[in-house]
Amino acid sequence: MTKIAFQQILIISICLLTVTACTSTVRYATKSSATRPSSATSSQKAHRSAATTNTSQKKATATETSSSQKLTQTESGKILGEGEASYYANKFHGKTTASGEPYDMYSFTAAHRTLPFGTVLRVTNLENQKSVVVRVTDRGPWKAHRIIDLSFMAAKSLDMLGSGTAQVRIEKLN
């Protein structure tokens, strides 16, 4: 093996290790970790109530099917899929996310495997039709059958804290 080939293999290996280390943190909350301090400001409470919406009045305008995911155009955005959501909470509060910003369990954020950071999504709990608007700031979930990880506050707004997971629909808003 030549010196140049060895150097190229070494560089590729280091790059792969770096990417793997930066994106492989598992971020799941347990039921017992879902506690919230009572010190929320009035502006935080107002933001939370404004971010939660009920989408039962939204009507689908067109429907297509593609590889077991429903791709429906609604009045507000494109449905990316339906599946199981989970959430992560205080174990990761304050830690740096894959986007570089600190995780705030009281903000309306989410982790998605492939969507660009900053993508705004509407996530609707299919059981109770409650929905919340979140922004993608992290990578995950790392369980193959789940499609999104939500922040504690987003999960609370969807009433999924008790079970830890919920069947949801994800719509891209921007």
Side-chain angles (χ1 to χ4, degrees):
M1 185 184 304
T2 67
K3 184 176 180 180
I4 293 173
F6 179 75
Q7 289 174 341
Q8 290 174 338
I9 292 172
L10 183 61
I11 290 171
I12 291 170
S13 299
I14 291 171
C15 290
L16 288 174
L17 287 172
T18 303
V19 169
T20 303
C22 291
T23 61
S24 66
T25 304
V26 179
R27 298 173 185 262
Y28 296 103
T30 60
K31 292 179 189 174
S32 63
S33 67
T35 57
R36 177 177 178 252
S38 60
S39 61
T41 66
S42 60
S43 64
Q44 288 171 329
K45 290 177 184 175
H47 174 71
R48 288 181 201 128
S49 63
T52 305
T53 60
N54 186 343
T55 59
S56 61
Q57 300 163 352
K58 304 281 184 211
K59 302 291 181 191
T61 58
T63 304
E64 303 171 27
T65 57
S66 171
S67 67
S68 78
Q69 281 193 342
K70 295 178 184 175
L71 296 177
T72 305
Q73 190 67 32
T74 63
E75 294 173 8
S76 59
K78 183 176 182 181
I79 293 182
L80 300 178
E82 294 180 353
E84 188 176 56
S86 54
Y87 73 97
Y88 55 112
N90 59 342
K91 180 178 177 183
F92 299 98
H93 186 69
K95 305 242 190 234
T96 303
T97 62
S99 67
E101 62 183 85
Y103 170 64
D104 179 3
M105 63 189 269
Y106 302 115
S107 64
F108 290 87
T109 59
H112 191 275
R113 287 184 192 92
T114 58
L115 291 173
F117 296 130
T119 302
V120 178
L121 305 170
R122 175 179 288 118
V123 180
T124 304
N125 184 333
L126 297 176
E127 183 177 310
N128 59 23
Q129 296 305 309
K130 290 187 177 184
S131 70
V132 66
V133 175
V134 297
R135 186 173 49 88
V136 175
T137 61
D138 207 358
R139 292 292 173 226
W142 300 111
K143 291 199 175 185
H145 64 280
R146 293 186 180 157
I147 61 170
I148 195 165
D149 270 342
L150 301 168
S151 65
F152 168 82
M153 192 53 64
K156 182 176 181 182
S157 297
L158 295 177
D159 285 338
M160 59 180 273
L161 294 183
S163 63
T165 61
Q167 290 298 310
V168 298
R169 175 183 304 119
I170 301 175
E171 295 174 74
K172 183 177 178 186
L173 298 182
N174 69 350

